[in-house]
Amino acid sequence: MEDINTILQLFIFALLYISIYSLNRILTEANYFGFAEVIYGYKASISYFSVILKLLIPLIYAPFIYFLTKSEYIALSSVFWGSILIVAPPFFDFHCLDERLCDRKYLLYSTYIIFVLLNLFVAKFSIVFLRIIKQYFTGYLAQYNSPQLLFNHIIDVIVLPIFIAILLHLLKLVFNKLNDRIKLYYGEDDDIDER
């Protein structure tokens, strides 16, 4: 029964991974690129922002799934199978629009394989990074096990800066009003002297 539950989770999370890529394509259509577009020259260049968006998806998705399921296997497998499902349709349904560029199909296939491996590497890196950060973060929060210490910390970090920002904004408004009155007062004297 546990195997069926794991397979079902993998399937759902892999589909969710694919849907995030589809959403990325819809929302950032101008920055989205397919590997075939780049290799065959249909898209002249890709921006750094586009590459960063593609890398951010597994970088954020894998730790999120790991946090939900507490299973590195499910997190990495969902990224792996999701990546496989993303590249499977163009991988198996190859058609070259321009006959002069058909010799680049092996480069395209290699790029698909690198895409899957890179997604897996980024997902593994993000989970390892999450574990390291979690240790330090847990240790940091352990010092606030008393409610009074936690309250003092919240006041120091959140409430006090907000209060200071509001106070500075009010002082700025007061100084602006005073400056307007001074300009108005001296501005009228200049008009009288000119006459």
Side-chain angles (χ1 to χ4, degrees):
M1 185 67 180
E2 187 174 316
D3 291 337
I4 294 173
N5 187 23
T6 303
I7 291 171
L8 185 63
Q9 285 181 350
L10 283 175
F11 180 72
I12 291 170
F13 290 135
L15 289 179
L16 182 63
Y17 189 70
I18 294 169
S19 63
I20 290 172
Y21 265 93
S22 298
L23 189 64
N24 174 33
R25 183 177 194 158
I26 293 167
L27 294 178
T28 61
E29 189 174 345
N31 291 317
Y32 186 83
F33 68 94
F35 296 110
E37 295 172 338
V38 176
I39 289 174
Y40 292 138
Y42 302 137
K43 195 166 223 179
S45 65
I46 48 176
S47 66
Y48 290 120
F49 180 71
S50 304
V51 175
I52 290 171
L53 274 178
K54 274 204 189 273
L55 290 176
L56 275 179
I57 294 172
L59 191 70
I60 295 171
Y61 185 78
F64 177 72
I65 298 302
Y66 175 71
F67 181 76
L68 284 179
T69 62
K70 307 291 187 244
S71 170
E72 182 178 351
Y73 173 76
I74 291 175
L76 292 178
S77 296
S78 62
V79 169
F80 176 75
W81 287 109
S83 301
I84 292 281
L85 291 173
I86 288 170
V87 299
F91 193 88
F92 291 118
D93 184 30
F94 176 78
H95 60 281
C96 186
L97 298 176
D98 190 343
E99 302 255 340
R100 296 169 296 173
L101 302 172
C102 285
D103 60 337
R104 296 185 189 175
K105 69 179 179 180
Y106 295 111
L107 177 62
L108 183 62
Y109 287 155
S110 302
T111 306
Y112 289 148
I113 293 169
I114 290 170
F115 170 76
V116 172
L117 295 176
L118 184 64
N119 276 350
L120 195 59
F121 173 76
V122 169
K124 177 69 175 173
F125 169 78
S126 64
I127 290 174
V128 169
F129 186 71
L130 176 71
R131 284 184 184 152
I132 293 170
I133 293 296
K134 187 177 175 185
Q135 291 174 356
Y136 289 112
F137 193 67
T138 305
Y140 177 75
L141 289 180
Q143 67 181 332
Y144 300 111
N145 51 5
S146 99
Q148 182 62 44
L149 286 174
L150 183 60
F151 175 76
N152 292 345
H153 183 68
I154 289 172
I155 292 295
D156 290 343
V157 172
I158 297 172
V159 176
L160 193 58
I162 290 173
F163 176 73
I164 290 172
I166 291 171
L167 184 64
L168 288 174
H169 182 71
L170 291 174
L171 285 173
K172 184 178 177 182
L173 289 175
V174 168
F175 287 136
N176 285 343
K177 285 289 184 190
L178 289 174
N179 283 337
D180 289 344
R181 286 187 179 176
I182 291 171
K183 287 178 186 175
L184 182 64
Y185 178 75
Y186 284 113
E188 288 175 358
D189 286 346
D190 291 340
D191 290 340
I192 293 171
D193 291 340
E194 288 176 5
R195 289 180 196 164

